[in-house]
Amino acid sequence: MVVDPAVRRALLLNAAVVVTLAACIIVLLWAFVYRVVMCRPLSRKKKLRTAAALAPLVMPIVLGVGVRFFPPLVDSALNRNHEPQAPFTPSARALDFHRSLFIADMHADPLLWTHRDLLERGVGSVDVPRLVEGNVALQGLGEPTKVPLLLNFDRNGNETWNDALFSFAFFQQWPLNTFSSLLLRASYMSTQAHALAQRSRGKVQVIQTKEGLREFRAARLRDPSSTAFFLSIEGGHAIGADLGNIRKLKQMGILYMGLAHFFDNLLGGSAHGQEKYGITPLGVKALEAMGKVRMLADVSHASPKLLDDIVRYAKGPVIASHTGVQGTCPSVRNLSDEQIRAVAETGGIVCITYFREATCGTDVESIVRAILYAAHLVGANHVCLGSDYDGAVAVPMDTSELVRITAALLDHGMDEADIAAIMGENIARTLEWALD
């Protein structure tokens, strides 16, 4: 997820709506009971008694309204497209080539929005019908477990109360134990992904093994109307101080983990934290534990010091699952040339994201500029897609329109083999390391 002015507006708007509705319902009930039924005025003391008596009746109504309207309103406000792009019709060559590709996206956040049914076309940028329409074979699903209330790119705290996802869990009626346990939030989102695959009647899989990936690729050659997910987690704060939780995450299907998200934690510092420190002794042990279970380390959102340390201590390829490049868009959210080279030297991949704060643009060309820059710097075999779809970001297109990127790369004269690598083969190759 990423800061956006719409985040504050949407949260404040919906909080105001809920409070206003509660006040209106109290006033209406008070007027009906005492003015209409009893036909008599009220003293100040009776008004207070009335409010106290009506509160137990009003709160379920308010909560019901919040459960019904809060999640979809926030979802549609935060996960949207920029102003309409210019009409686009791909050439026959671009369309045919796009359809021949094995396309993968390293990171998106639709699991956070559990009020949706991802088997149906809906709001946001990612669901199964649009993945199929965009010829996306593999879609990475991130699991953010805690986000600051007023998140920003500069400085966020890790206080217990500073937890915007509590309201998401509450109003989307997650299990009660997820209100206080970050690990159980991850477990719940993973369970939702596996349940979705079971309901899909073979149209969706959750990839956890090498054999599963190979069988899926073979099956998709026969039936391109299927797609597959793989799971990840944003921020090592979900494991607390218990390194045994890393194995539990892998058993849930988690293939990679970022040590830090929007705040500093016990494992290391965030690029958006208060101190932005490097890896901690517990973080070093976490990387060792991740290596033992074959879990990839993600440097997205890591502080510069933590990124350097992850590259030093990680046991396998290092990935940046959703990032931009400072060479085309100077930002604390993006990687420098030196950092991109460091990730590539581990055999890892840098996955380019689509939102304005990481691309410095609101069109597809701004995404393509970043892809071309990274490919020129370290080679096409270390570059990939990492949209960050549905992570509270505005983007130029949804996943059904990925042919726009393919066509743009062809227009820039990129070799078809390099395009195939960037559009999905690099992700498939890297995931092999983490698959059982």
Side-chain angles (χ1 to χ4, degrees), residues 215-247:
E215 291 178 351
F216 169 72
R217 294 197 66 157
R220 200 170 186 277
L221 291 175
R222 300 187 297 269
D223 179 14
S225 66
S226 60
T227 192
F229 297 143
F230 58 93
L231 306 180
S232 66
I233 192 164
E234 293 194 85
H237 45 269
I239 70 169
D242 186 354
L243 297 179
N245 287 330
I246 291 174
R247 185 171 296 276

Side-chain angles (χ1 to χ4, degrees), residues 63-280:
L63 293 177
V65 171
V67 166
R68 175 65 180 85
F69 294 106
F70 182 85
L73 282 173
V74 174
D75 190 356
S76 59
L78 300 185
N79 299 307
R80 66 197 191 285
N81 284 2
H82 288 298
E83 62 275 3
Q85 303 293 305
F88 175 75
T89 302
S91 67
R93 178 201 174 197
L95 189 57
D96 289 344
F97 179 53
H98 184 81
R99 288 172 174 167
S100 74
L101 296 173
F102 184 83
I103 298 174
D105 176 357
M106 200 69 174
H107 185 87
D109 288 311
L111 286 182
L112 181 60
W113 312 96
T114 52
H115 68 94
R116 300 186 197 172
D117 181 356
L118 295 181
L119 294 177
E120 303 291 336
R121 193 181 187 104
V123 299
S125 299
V126 172
D127 47 50
V128 172
R130 282 181 286 181
L131 288 168
V132 172
E133 186 178 338
N135 192 36
V136 181
L138 281 177
Q139 178 62 62
L141 301 181
E143 298 179 4
T145 60
K146 183 179 178 182
V147 175
L149 285 167
L150 296 177
L151 77 165
N152 59 82
F153 276 154
D154 300 321
R155 185 180 173 86
N156 298 281
N158 187 21
E159 301 85 359
T160 302
W161 57 265
N162 196 5
D163 181 8
L165 295 194
F166 175 86
S167 64
F168 283 62
F170 182 83
F171 283 109
Q172 293 185 112
Q173 298 176 282
W174 291 13
L176 288 176
N177 56 15
T178 65
F179 293 2
S180 58
S181 170
L182 304 186
L183 183 68
L184 290 179
R185 291 180 187 178
S187 176
Y188 178 70
M189 284 184 269
S190 297
T191 300
Q192 294 300 301
H194 290 288
L196 175 71
Q198 291 177 349
R199 290 192 293 111
S200 72
R201 298 181 180 180
K203 291 297 183 182
V204 177
Q205 299 181 36
V206 177
I207 301 297
Q208 292 184 257
T209 66
K210 291 180 173 66
E211 183 180 3
L213 177 58
R214 292 167 188 156
E215 291 178 351
F216 169 72
R217 294 197 66 157
R220 200 170 186 277
L221 291 175
R222 300 187 297 269
D223 179 14
S225 66
S226 60
T227 192
F229 297 143
F230 58 93
L231 306 180
S232 66
I233 192 164
E234 293 194 85
H237 45 269
I239 70 169
D242 186 354
L243 297 179
N245 287 330
I246 291 174
R247 185 171 296 276
K248 292 179 182 178
L249 290 175
K250 187 65 186 293
Q251 291 169 347
M252 296 175 198
I254 302 297
L255 299 186
Y256 71 83
M257 179 173 74
L259 265 61
H261 195 200
F262 267 103
F263 47 81
D264 306 326
N265 62 40
L266 295 176
L267 306 185
S270 165
H272 326 291
Q274 293 179 328
E275 298 183 42
K276 302 176 177 58
Y277 43 75
I279 200 166
T280 66

Side-chain angles (χ1 to χ4, degrees), residues 409-424:
L409 292 174
L410 286 171
D411 289 343
H412 280 275
M414 180 174 277
D415 181 77
E416 288 189 357
D418 287 344
I419 296 174
I422 291 168
M423 295 297 290

